[in-house]
Amino acid sequence: CDYTIIIKTGCVYLAGTDANVEIILFSLSGVVIRYNNLDNKNHDDFEYCNTDVFHIKGSCLSEYDKICKIIISQDNSGAHAGWYIDWVDVSSS
């Protein structure tokens, strides 16, 4: 299945990051979808006040199941590793 992940980096001083970002999606039935490196090639993701959209593939959920929890982490790499997330949206199609 296809998942769209939208992440809004905050509009505060030093909100952006150059670190590698991972997301883990958890469903009500226990399905876990892990994506190790959210990255849009040739684009500087997760910068101050930006909204970034990612399209990933993962296990399909039944019509009665839904994503109930997410974990987003970063590895503190890069020159500016701190990160302030304003909001996240996850949808499937």
Side-chain angles (χ1 to χ4, degrees):
C1 286
D2 297 313
Y3 293 88
T4 300
I5 301 175
I6 305 171
I7 300 176
K8 169 69 171 167
T9 297
C11 300
V12 298
Y13 181 67
L14 296 176
T17 188
D18 292 326
N20 298 309
V21 173
E22 172 185 70
I23 189 166
I24 307 169
L25 311 175
F26 299 87
S27 82
L28 290 171
S29 70
V31 174
V32 177
I33 302 164
R34 177 184 299 258
Y35 199 81
N36 290 322
N37 189 18
L38 288 178
D39 183 42
N40 288 312
K41 301 296 181 211
N42 301 316
H43 177 71
D44 197 5
D45 302 310
F46 313 118
E47 293 303 310
Y48 171 86
C49 228
N50 280 0
T51 302
D52 295 295
V53 179
F54 303 92
H55 301 283
I56 65 172
K57 297 212 178 273
S59 301
C60 294
L61 304 179
S62 76
E63 63 181 295
Y64 304 106
D65 201 5
K66 60 183 164 183
I67 300 298
C68 63
K69 174 182 167 181
I70 64 171
I71 295 175
I72 298 178
S73 61
Q74 50 97 342
D75 66 0
N76 288 319
S77 65
H80 303 284
W83 189 24
Y84 179 85
I85 300 172
D86 192 5
W87 54 263
V88 177
D89 182 71
V90 177
S91 60
S92 63
S93 56

